[in-house]
Amino acid sequence: MMGVTMLSPYHTSLYLQRLQLDQAPPPDLQGLRTLHLAHLMQIPFENLDIRAGLPISLEQDALLDKILLRRRGGFCYELNLAFSWLLQSLGFQTRFWSARVWNGKAYGPEFDHMLLAVQLEAQCWIADVGFGDSFRLPLLLAGAGNQELGVTYRCEADGADWILLQQKAGHAATPQYRFQTQAFQLEDFLPMFAYQQTSPNSHFTQKTICSLPTADGRISIADQKMIVTQHGKRSVHSIDSEAEYHALLQQKMGMSAQQLPPFRARVHAPAESASSP
């Protein structure tokens, strides 16, 4: 059911196994850090079903089947929703926040991205396991920021808003998204959730991405290419067949061999009902 916020003991155990954790960490900052990093390292950010033209469900049974049993990933609404269920089940307090993603020229619409606020005593931490290339450890809202692999992430106040900034060594800071500290319900995100996976104007229908961080960088499968970044250096490998594509999804992304999406993406043709919000 859409309103469910907790997991059964069975699904909690499966989730921890998926994260390769032997036991549940305590509901404190170190526990949150452990869960956040494990989630990012084990469950890919991906839109493969969207590009295959397959509908996505946020109902708990369907989403847990996809992530835990079929060993798939998802995009922000799926990953941060599932992560919120796990956190709540382990004793954390979470809220959904809406963010507007920076596309290089402008910020997107409200509910463009879902992130989580986690309250730990008097401090508010941002958790986000559904954005792709971003911070790996929870980010203190009003803190000095995180330094990770030569990149600094911090939140900067801008009037009533906050902006998540990413700054690579030797470069100016650039925004990733802006948000307000207002709690929303899952239902508030559903129109944009539908838009992101159906509209030809959504970047999720235009380009395939499947991505995981590594100890020294990131590995991504984008359309028919595998991109590996190590210590800031990038290499690109062309994928020439569906057999190779599926083998890479299993070997590099940890996916199950069952029900893997097709190599060639479906073309999303413009539709009258698909309009930018």
Side-chain angles (χ1 to χ4, degrees):
M1 294 184 296
M2 206 67 84
V4 174
T5 60
M6 303 281 281
L7 299 178
S8 68
Y10 168 72
H11 282 124
T12 300
S13 177
L14 278 184
Y15 215 134
L16 293 172
Q17 291 177 39
R18 180 77 167 90
L19 301 186
Q20 296 192 2
L21 297 176
D22 294 331
Q23 59 185 7
D28 56 18
L29 179 55
Q30 186 54 51
L32 179 61
R33 286 173 169 161
T34 297
L35 291 162
H36 196 276
L37 182 59
H39 205 292
L40 287 171
M41 298 295 287
Q42 299 299 327
I43 302 179
F45 174 82
E46 53 111 331
N47 69 334
L48 303 185
D49 281 353
I50 294 174
R51 291 283 283 160
L54 301 174
I56 295 172
S57 173
L58 296 181
E59 295 291 342
Q60 189 177 85
D61 286 347
L63 183 53
L64 294 178
D65 176 77
K66 179 181 180 181
I67 292 176
L68 304 184
L69 300 180
R70 292 193 284 132
R71 300 186 63 82
R72 290 286 304 280
F75 66 148
C76 70
Y77 310 99
E78 298 173 278
L79 298 182
N80 281 327
L81 174 60
F83 192 41
S84 75
W85 292 335
L86 177 64
L87 292 178
Q88 292 273 7
S89 300
L90 297 180
F92 292 90
Q93 299 177 35
T94 68
R95 303 188 301 277
F96 297 130
W97 284 353
S98 164
R100 301 165 56 202
V101 178
W102 176 254
N103 65 10
K105 297 180 180 179
Y107 290 100
E110 200 67 69
F111 308 111
D112 194 26
H113 177 63
M114 172 197 283
L115 66 151
L116 300 177
V118 183
Q119 193 70 33
L120 292 173
E121 297 180 350
Q123 294 182 317
C124 185
W125 295 80
I126 299 173
D128 192 349
V129 296
F131 193 71
D133 189 9
S134 191
F135 56 89
R136 299 182 177 208
L137 296 174
L139 193 60
L140 183 61
L141 179 62
N146 296 356
Q147 290 187 348
E148 303 171 359
L149 299 182
V151 181
T152 300
Y153 298 92
R154 71 179 188 276
C155 293
E156 183 177 282
D158 182 28
D161 290 2
W162 289 84
I163 300 176
L164 172 63
L165 295 171
Q166 179 192 70
Q167 185 169 13
K168 298 181 180 180
H171 297 271
T174 57
Q176 291 197 299
Y177 51 70
R178 69 186 301 135
F179 60 94
Q180 292 186 347
T181 57
Q182 176 183 351
F184 290 97
Q185 300 299 313
L186 175 60
E187 287 73 15
D188 298 318
F189 293 87
L190 295 184
M192 276 302 297
F193 166 69
Y195 167 85
Q196 297 284 28
Q197 59 179 311
T198 59
S199 171
N201 298 317
S202 165
H203 62 275
F204 288 107
T205 65
Q206 297 172 15
K207 187 175 183 179
T208 300
I209 185 66
C210 184
S211 184
L212 275 177
T214 62
D216 55 10
R218 178 167 290 275
I219 184 167
S220 301
I221 295 174
D223 291 328
Q224 280 75 56
K225 296 179 180 179
M226 182 175 70
I227 304 163
V228 179
T229 304
Q230 292 179 293
H231 304 293
K233 295 183 178 180
R234 189 171 181 266
S235 62
V236 180
H237 166 76
S238 294
I239 304 172
D240 298 322
S241 69
E242 183 154 308
E244 182 184 12
Y245 176 68
H246 285 170
L248 289 171
L249 290 179
Q250 295 173 65
Q251 296 165 10
K252 304 298 184 181
M253 301 296 165
M255 292 186 181
S256 167
Q258 303 299 318
Q259 300 179 334
L260 286 171
F263 180 44
R264 302 292 178 184
R266 190 191 74 167
V267 176
H268 288 252
E272 291 182 5
S273 59
S275 59
S276 179

